[in-house]
Amino acid sequence: MNERPPALEMRGITKRFPGVLANDDITFDVRAGEIHALLGENGAGKTTLMNILYGLVSPDTGEVLVDGTPVTIRDPSNAIAQGIGMVHQHFMLVPVLTVAENVILGQELLRGPFLDLPQAARRIRELATQLGFDVDPDVRIEQLPVGQQQRVEILKAIYRGARILVLDEPTAVLTPQETVEVFTVLRRLQADGAAIVFISHKLEEVLAIADRITVIRRGKVVGTRRPSETSDVDLAVMMVGREVLLRVDRGKSHPGDVVLKTEGLRVKDDRGHEAVRGVDLEVRAGEILGIAGVAGNGQDELVDALVGLRRPAGGKVLLGGAEITGAPTRRIRDLGVAHVPGDRQRFGLVLPYPVEDNLVLTSFDEPPFATGPLNLLRNDAAIDEWSERLIKEFDIRTPSRDVRAATLSGGNQQKIIVAREFRGANRLVILDQPTRGLDVGSIEFIHRRAIEKRDAGTAILLTSADLDEVLELSDRIAVMFRGHIVAIFDAAVAERDRIGLLMAKGGAAAA
C-alpha cells in the first residue's frame, strides 16, 4: 500500500536576491496531523521560504507540491485556494476595523448587496469556540492586546479554510500563559488533521511542540531531527555553527547612585484611561531592573512617558535628580537616555531608508555625521565609515549598507536599532522587548552587550514579554499589574512561579 504523500512539499527551492543567496536548494515537507518546526538564525532564509509558499516571492528554481500534486502559487489568493494559511510575525490586521471585519476581509459575506456582519460574527464565534478562543467579533483590533490579536490571525486563516498553517514566530510577543494557550490550539488543529509549519527561535518551545525539527543555516538545510533525538544545545550549534551560551552569566552587579526615579507616575493610554497608576520606581547606575507583566498592564505607556513619547497625567520623572517630567524626546535623548522600542518597524526604523541612514537616525545632525555652518551638511564619508563599523561589530546580515532596512529580516532590523542605541556612553538605556524575534546567537550577543553596559555603570530598564529573559538578565524584578507595581524582587531569589502568579493576579496572588 502506497504511503500517503505529504500535505505540503517544497523541493529544490532556490531564491537569489542581489548579493544574497536566500534559499539554496531547500527541500522541506510537512504531513497532515504533524507540527514541523523550522529553525534558523535571523537571515537564514526561513521567512523567504515561507513567503515563496504563500506567493509573496517567486522562486528561481524548485517546485511546491500539495498532497503530492505540483501547484503554482503566484500570489496569496492562490495559496489560500490551495488551503494554505499564514500567520505572519508582524500581524496583517487593520487596527481600526473590528475582529469580524478583519477576519472576513476579502471574503465578505453578503445579504443581497449588503455586508452581512451579524452572520459573519456568528460564524466567527462558532469557530472561536471550537478553537477554545475567547474573542469578541465586535471589538476593534486596536483595542485588543497583542496576544488576542494573534488569535485573530489564526482565526482568519482557519476561517478561509486553511489546512496547511504556517506560523512565523507565533510566540514572540506572548507571555508564558498565552504561549500555553496557543500550543493547546495548535494541538487541537493537529488532532483535526492540520499540517502545521512552526517557525521559531525558541528552542525549548520547538522541542515541546514539534514532531520534527528542520534547521536552516545560511540558506541551506543542515539537518532534520525529532525532539527525542536532539537537545537545545545541539539545535543551537546546528543553527549558529558554533557553541552558544543559552543562558549568559550576568555576574554580580554593583549598583551606584539612582539614575532614574519615578514618583507617583500616572499615565493615560490612547483611550484616555489611566494605564499607569501611581508608579514609584528607582533604577540605579550599574543595574538592570526588569519589569515583568502580561501585555497591556501599562508597560507600554510607562516606557512612552519615560522617553517623552507620552505626557504623564501626574507624578514625576527624575533623571539624576533633575526633573524631566513631560520633557520632549530630543531633550531626554540629549541627557543620555537611549531607547530600544518594542515595535521596531513602527518606532525604531524608517523602513524605506538604507541601513546606514537608520544607523545614524538619532545623530545625523551632529558631528561627525554633519558638518558646515549649523551642521547643515551631510558627511557621507563619516556615515559610511560608522555604518560599516557597526554592521561588522553587531553582525548585521545585509548585502551592503545601502540596501533599504525594509529588505532585512526582523532580527537584523532589530540589530540595527540595538547598534544605534548602544553607541557611546549612556546614562540610562530603556530596553523594550530587545530580543523579540531574535535567534539564540543574537540573543546571546545582545544580552552580553546589555551586561557590558551595566558593568560600565549604565542604568538599564528592561521590559519584556519573555519572562525567562526578565529572570535571566535582571538584577531586580518589578511585577506590573493593571498599572501598579505590585512587587519588587531581588532576581537572585526570585521564583518563576511566584512572579507568574503575580503577573496574572496582582495583589490577589499575595492573599
Side-chain angles (χ1 to χ4, degrees), residues 91-114:
F91 302 149
M92 304 295 182
L93 299 171
V94 182
V96 297
L97 297 183
T98 66
V99 169
E101 290 166 341
N102 271 277
V103 170
I104 68 172
L105 194 62
Q107 292 197 343
E108 291 83 356
L109 279 174
L110 299 177
R111 179 183 293 172
F114 302 106

Side-chain angles (χ1 to χ4, degrees), residues 336-403:
V337 179
H339 175 216
V340 176
D343 189 328
R344 54 180 165 259
Q345 293 196 342
R346 290 179 63 197
F347 303 119
L349 300 167
V350 180
L351 292 172
Y353 282 15
V355 169
E356 66 174 2
D357 283 2
N358 276 283
L359 285 168
V360 296
L361 201 59
T362 57
S363 53
F364 68 92
D365 57 345
E366 302 171 2
F369 309 127
T371 61
L374 302 177
N375 293 327
L376 293 177
L377 301 178
R378 175 185 169 102
N379 187 343
D380 286 322
I383 293 172
D384 292 349
E385 181 182 350
W386 178 252
S387 60
E388 290 287 358
R389 172 183 161 187
L390 291 188
I391 287 168
K392 182 177 181 180
E393 187 177 337
F394 284 81
D395 190 27
I396 300 169
R397 305 283 175 83
T398 176
S400 76
R401 64 176 185 269
D402 300 320
V403 303

Side-chain angles (χ1 to χ4, degrees), residues 303-355:
V303 169
D304 284 352
L306 296 178
V307 299
L309 293 173
R310 192 180 295 265
R311 191 169 185 84
K316 293 182 179 180
V317 180
L318 298 101
L319 185 69
E323 186 172 354
I324 59 167
T325 312
T329 301
R330 185 57 187 257
R331 183 187 166 213
I332 292 173
R333 176 170 289 279
D334 288 345
L335 290 171
V337 179
H339 175 216
V340 176
D343 189 328
R344 54 180 165 259
Q345 293 196 342
R346 290 179 63 197
F347 303 119
L349 300 167
V350 180
L351 292 172
Y353 282 15
V355 169

Side-chain angles (χ1 to χ4, degrees), residues 37-302:
L38 198 58
L39 276 177
E41 287 186 278
N42 300 122
K46 307 181 303 297
T47 300
T48 297
L49 187 67
M50 292 302 104
N51 283 341
I52 287 171
L53 174 63
Y54 203 56
L56 296 170
V57 174
S58 298
D60 298 330
T61 60
E63 62 178 348
V64 177
L65 296 88
V66 174
D67 294 327
T69 302
V71 297
T72 300
I73 302 176
R74 296 187 179 88
D75 54 44
S77 63
N78 291 152
I80 292 168
Q82 295 293 338
I84 300 169
M86 180 173 283
V87 177
H88 297 268
Q89 181 178 350
H90 300 286
F91 302 149
M92 304 295 182
L93 299 171
V94 182
V96 297
L97 297 183
T98 66
V99 169
E101 290 166 341
N102 271 277
V103 170
I104 68 172
L105 194 62
Q107 292 197 343
E108 291 83 356
L109 279 174
L110 299 177
R111 179 183 293 172
F114 302 106
L115 191 64
D116 192 351
L117 274 176
Q119 175 63 14
R122 281 192 294 272
R123 287 182 56 181
I124 291 165
R125 282 193 180 93
E126 291 171 2
L127 185 57
T129 300
Q130 292 172 22
L131 294 173
F133 287 171
D134 180 19
V135 176
D136 183 350
D138 300 320
V139 172
R140 288 198 307 274
I141 292 297
E142 62 188 0
Q143 296 174 308
L144 295 177
V146 172
Q148 293 257 13
Q149 291 184 31
Q150 199 216 49
R151 288 164 175 75
V152 176
E153 283 280 24
I154 294 175
L155 267 175
K156 189 169 69 172
I158 302 302
Y159 181 89
R160 285 162 167 72
R163 54 193 180 84
I164 300 165
L165 187 62
V166 179
L167 297 106
D168 189 1
E169 297 289 347
T171 64
V173 297
L174 304 186
T175 64
Q177 294 91 335
E178 290 172 325
T179 296
V180 170
E181 293 172 12
V182 168
F183 280 10
T184 300
V185 172
L186 295 184
R187 290 192 177 101
R188 188 175 290 126
L189 292 169
Q190 179 186 18
D192 289 339
I196 299 171
V197 180
F198 184 91
I199 303 174
S200 180
H201 293 113
K202 298 185 179 181
L203 304 181
E204 70 283 357
E205 291 182 359
V206 165
L207 288 166
I209 193 68
D211 299 298
R212 286 188 293 155
I213 304 164
T214 291
V215 180
I216 298 176
R217 185 169 76 238
R218 302 292 178 100
K220 292 182 72 72
V221 171
V222 295
T224 298
R225 302 285 188 272
R226 294 192 178 277
S228 60
E229 302 170 344
T230 188
S231 68
D232 55 357
V233 174
D234 291 337
L235 291 173
V237 171
M238 290 174 69
M239 284 173 63
V240 183
R242 62 175 175 83
E243 290 190 6
V244 177
L245 287 176
L246 298 178
R247 185 185 179 109
V248 175
D249 181 9
R250 69 172 180 267
K252 188 172 178 59
S253 64
H254 301 282
D257 296 336
V258 173
V259 174
L260 174 70
K261 184 175 183 179
T262 68
E263 297 177 351
L265 188 64
R266 295 184 293 110
V267 188
K268 292 182 179 180
D269 62 18
D270 291 339
R271 291 174 288 169
H273 300 153
E274 198 165 86
V276 178
R277 303 174 179 179
V279 163
D280 297 319
L281 274 181
E282 288 185 352
V283 188
R284 296 180 176 274
E287 77 161 350
I288 299 175
L289 174 68
I291 295 182
V294 177
N297 277 269
Q299 305 96 311
D300 291 347
E301 290 79 9
L302 173 64

